[in-house]
Amino acid sequence: MHENTLMRIPEQFYRKQKQLAVLVDPDKLSDKQLEETARNAQKAGVDYIFAGGSLLINDNLYQSIRIVKDNCDIPVIIFPGNNYQLASNADAILFLSLISGRNPDMLIGMHVIAAPYIKLSDIETVPTGYMLIDSGKPTSVTYMSNSFPIPRDKKDIAACTAMAGEMLGLKIIYMDAGSGAERSVPVEMIRFVKDSVGIPMMIGGGIRTPEQLRAKYEAGADIAVIGTRFENNLDGMLSFGEAKTAFNH
Ligand code: 1GP
């Protein structure tokens, strides 16, 4: 079990070291693909493996995390789509409050249901302000969460939402265009939000190239989350890791 994910994220943030997370969706990857993803992630210097999805159909979160942990030494953090996505072998869970939406279940309801189970386990919680940003078309997460994303040209709404999240005591802001998004979170919005809050910012959804990764880091992303790009093609993972390392030097 890794210790102190909650400390490691801000430590790297204060040292101005950019971080990289790879998202694995247990429904989409075979056991073999999970093994290969974990091994590649280790080689590429990935900082975190996120596990989860908007909707998991197969009951294999625990098993998927076990395979990942057997094949790398990277902390595994649950990125839950709902309160059913808990597994006691994870190192931590993003305790996501969907602050861009107005669905009370996603703001606090599911958290109340999950809290006693998390408390009984060893899983560390990372209080995260989750903000969906419009990617041009509906995504699984906007549909499943029954919430509207923030319009991509409304950087002021994004900034005020992030500010409110920080004032409520959330430790990270995660701006997500949604898995497989055609259009990722705009760099102008990342820059504007970055100037408005003093906590680490995580950016995900639709990042497909090392150039895009660099652009997100330059705009102010502290952690980039990449999923779809590696689902059927692990070849590029090293170049993403290299882009991160180059940025940090
Ligand atoms: C989705 O931000 C993550 O919530 C990852 O998105 O699958 O598009 O990389 P992609």
Side-chain angles (χ1 to χ4, degrees):
M1 197 55 73
H2 286 266
E3 297 293 330
N4 282 331
T5 305
L6 191 50
M7 294 305 297
R8 181 170 158 165
I9 293 173
E11 263 169 29
Q12 297 294 84
F13 167 70
Y14 288 119
R15 293 174 55 223
K16 300 197 186 318
Q17 294 293 296
K18 303 295 186 183
Q19 300 173 79
L20 181 61
V22 167
L23 172 66
V24 296
D25 181 334
D27 273 348
K28 292 187 183 155
L29 300 181
S30 66
D31 290 0
K32 184 148 183 50
Q33 284 173 310
L34 280 169
E35 277 177 37
E36 285 170 2
T37 303
R39 291 207 195 105
N40 271 270
Q42 186 85 49
K43 282 190 214 138
V46 167
D47 299 277
Y48 309 101
I49 304 275
F50 288 178
S54 298
L55 176 69
L56 294 187
I57 295 165
N58 303 307
D59 184 20
N60 59 357
L61 183 61
Y62 185 95
Q63 161 78 355
S64 301
I65 292 174
R66 194 183 58 69
I67 294 170
V68 169
K69 291 181 82 73
D70 282 350
N71 287 281
C72 71
D73 190 29
I74 302 169
V76 179
I77 304 179
I78 299 173
F79 173 39
N82 56 54
N83 56 288
Y84 291 104
Q85 293 179 27
L86 297 173
S88 57
N89 56 349
D91 295 293
I93 182 167
L94 296 180
F95 209 52
L96 301 171
S97 187
L98 180 51
I99 57 176
S100 60
R102 298 296 178 267
N103 176 348
D105 277 338
M106 293 287 170
L107 280 162
I108 183 65
M110 290 189 175
H111 313 64
V112 174
I113 296 167
Y117 295 97
I118 295 175
K119 191 150 183 136
L120 281 173
S121 75
D122 257 350
I123 312 174
E124 192 185 348
T125 49
V126 183
T128 303
Y130 188 48
M131 294 168 47
L132 293 175
I133 310 301
D134 186 30
S135 65
K137 63 171 196 182
T139 59
S140 300
V141 63
T142 53
Y143 180 81
M144 291 304 296
S145 66
N146 195 16
S147 74
F148 289 116
I150 295 176
R152 43 193 301 114
D153 60 342
K154 301 293 181 197
K155 57 186 184 183
D156 52 346
I157 296 180
C160 294
T161 306
M163 278 161 53
E166 182 179 28
M167 289 170 187
L168 281 166
L170 297 170
K171 303 294 185 214
I172 296 176
I173 294 297
Y174 184 174
M175 292 204 286
D176 194 353
S179 194
E182 278 169 21
R183 298 202 289 168
S184 57
V185 180
V187 287
E188 302 75 30
M189 182 180 272
I190 299 173
R191 217 171 276 129
F192 199 71
V193 174
K194 180 73 173 180
D195 286 343
S196 310
V197 295
I199 53 178
M201 265 184 19
M202 199 141 73
I203 304 294
I207 301 175
R208 294 190 182 83
T209 65
E211 291 68 35
Q212 284 177 315
L213 176 69
R214 266 191 289 273
K216 305 303 179 201
Y217 283 153
E218 255 158 33
D222 299 295
I223 305 175
V225 186
I226 301 176
T228 309
R229 169 64 181 77
F230 301 131
E231 268 166 17
N232 289 308
N233 180 3
L234 290 169
D235 294 347
M237 205 184 280
L238 279 179
S239 55
F240 282 81
E242 282 162 10
K244 181 197 77 165
T245 308
F247 202 94
N248 284 339
H249 280 113

